[in-house]
Amino acid sequence: MPETSPKENSNYALEKLRDLLRHGDLGTEGKLPTERTLSEKLGLSRRAIRRALEVLEAEGAIWRKQGSGTYAGQKPDEWSGQLETIVAGTNFMEIMEVRLRIEPQLAQLAALRAKGSDIDRMRDLAQKIAGSEDADAKELWDGALHRQIAQSAGNQLFLSIFDVINRVRQDDAWQAIRERARNSANTMNVSNAQHATIIDAIASRDPAKAGEAMRQHLLMLQERLIRQTSMDHLEGDPQGDLP
């Protein structure tokens, strides 16, 4: 059997590329060097590099973007690239309309499918919300609680849609109006009590009660946001709508 030159050995190339990925010697956003650069750097043929990259791509260790290059890790969810556009083109009324139609269903499914550890996590997150002292922390833990409920529903498609909606929490204008709404009419105490009711219904395996508790919670939030936004418009506040 003829020997394969180390330069042409695809398995050797694969080992070298695995080392490269492990040690993180990569460019911006995990971008790998070009095949030509890798060939020169590792002293291997481009044919061997190409074959090794095909294996790594099949394993999900790398992904390729046409016209851009090769990147470490799994290919991002296609939703990710659309989030900025989706969020930029919406407003809080649209967000709340979608939440009201999705999250009660997620709470119902969570009541059927949540594990004991999921419910414990929900209670821990509710305590984090109640103990938070600033807007950023409240929004962070509130988002985490609602996502835990969505995740406990056990439906990946629902969860992906939820994540698109939840992305709006990163927007500064959304956080500002949410905080002003919380500070009016004792909203925070009411919201904390509603979170407890939702979690108790899920823990009791009562889908109807869990769904209705979530619906009432979101209706309260929607009403407070509408009121706050109306006040902002009257006062000429430009943050009444999301960009």
Side-chain angles (χ1 to χ4, degrees), residues 92-93 95-97 99-100 103 139 142-143 146 165-166 168-169 174-175 177-184 187-188 190-191 194-195 198 213-229:
F92 86 86
M93 278 297 295
I95 293 291
M96 291 309 303
E97 285 174 1
R99 289 187 69 181
L100 273 162
E103 292 195 55
E139 198 66 25
D142 187 81
H146 282 263
I165 301 166
N166 211 36
V168 75
R169 292 176 185 270
W174 170 265
Q175 189 173 106
I177 193 172
R178 281 270 282 150
E179 182 61 11
R180 292 197 295 276
R182 285 191 189 101
N183 290 333
S184 65
T187 299
M188 202 64 224
V190 175
S191 181
Q194 289 176 336
H195 283 154
I198 294 166
M214 179 64 81
R215 192 178 75 86
Q216 291 299 324
H217 173 60
L218 295 174
L219 283 171
M220 185 272 293
L221 172 59
Q222 183 184 52
E223 186 272 330
R224 298 290 162 87
L225 288 173
I226 291 171
R227 182 183 302 175
Q228 186 59 54
T229 304

Side-chain angles (χ1 to χ4, degrees), residues 89-123:
T90 191
N91 57 54
F92 86 86
M93 278 297 295
E94 291 182 351
I95 293 291
M96 291 309 303
E97 285 174 1
V98 177
R99 289 187 69 181
L100 273 162
R101 282 152 183 79
I102 289 178
E103 292 195 55
Q105 309 303 317
L106 289 168
Q108 289 180 1
L109 289 173
L112 295 171
R113 299 172 180 172
K115 300 175 183 176
S117 58
D118 294 329
I119 295 168
D120 290 342
R121 176 68 173 156
M122 291 175 201
R123 296 196 191 283

Side-chain angles (χ1 to χ4, degrees), residues 122-136:
M122 291 175 201
R123 296 196 191 283
D124 288 342
L125 291 169
Q127 290 180 0
K128 292 282 190 184
I129 299 167
S132 297
E133 298 180 355
D134 61 83
D136 183 65

Side-chain angles (χ1 to χ4, degrees), residues 40-223:
E40 295 171 355
K41 182 176 181 178
L42 301 177
L44 295 162
S45 72
R46 290 184 66 178
R47 178 172 175 269
I49 293 291
R50 191 175 299 114
R51 285 183 170 180
L53 288 172
E54 288 174 359
V55 172
L56 292 172
E57 185 176 18
E59 293 176 348
I62 62 169
W63 63 282
R64 306 186 200 216
K65 183 177 181 181
Q66 188 169 359
S68 178
T70 303
Y71 296 84
Q74 293 187 337
K75 185 176 182 179
D77 190 320
E78 290 193 8
W79 278 109
S80 302
Q82 301 177 35
L83 291 184
E84 295 294 337
T85 302
I86 292 171
V87 172
T90 191
N91 57 54
F92 86 86
M93 278 297 295
E94 291 182 351
I95 293 291
M96 291 309 303
E97 285 174 1
V98 177
R99 289 187 69 181
L100 273 162
R101 282 152 183 79
I102 289 178
E103 292 195 55
Q105 309 303 317
L106 289 168
Q108 289 180 1
L109 289 173
L112 295 171
R113 299 172 180 172
K115 300 175 183 176
S117 58
D118 294 329
I119 295 168
D120 290 342
R121 176 68 173 156
M122 291 175 201
R123 296 196 191 283
D124 288 342
L125 291 169
Q127 290 180 0
K128 292 282 190 184
I129 299 167
S132 297
E133 298 180 355
D134 61 83
D136 183 65
K138 288 173 185 173
E139 198 66 25
L140 175 71
W141 294 116
D142 187 81
L145 172 60
H146 282 263
R147 192 182 194 281
Q148 179 63 52
I149 293 169
Q151 188 172 351
S152 300
N155 185 306
Q156 187 58 47
L157 180 57
F158 256 149
L159 183 60
S160 296
I161 296 170
F162 174 87
D163 281 339
V164 173
I165 301 166
N166 211 36
R167 166 64 179 76
V168 75
R169 292 176 185 270
Q170 298 176 27
D171 188 273
D172 290 339
W174 170 265
Q175 189 173 106
I177 193 172
R178 281 270 282 150
E179 182 61 11
R180 292 197 295 276
R182 285 191 189 101
N183 290 333
S184 65
N186 199 31
T187 299
M188 202 64 224
N189 288 337
V190 175
S191 181
N192 290 338
Q194 289 176 336
H195 283 154
T197 300
I198 294 166
I199 298 169
D200 287 344
I202 292 172
S204 299
R205 307 299 178 187
D206 189 333
K209 187 175 180 180
E212 180 59 20
M214 179 64 81
R215 192 178 75 86
Q216 291 299 324
H217 173 60
L218 295 174
L219 283 171
M220 185 272 293
L221 172 59
Q222 183 184 52
E223 186 272 330

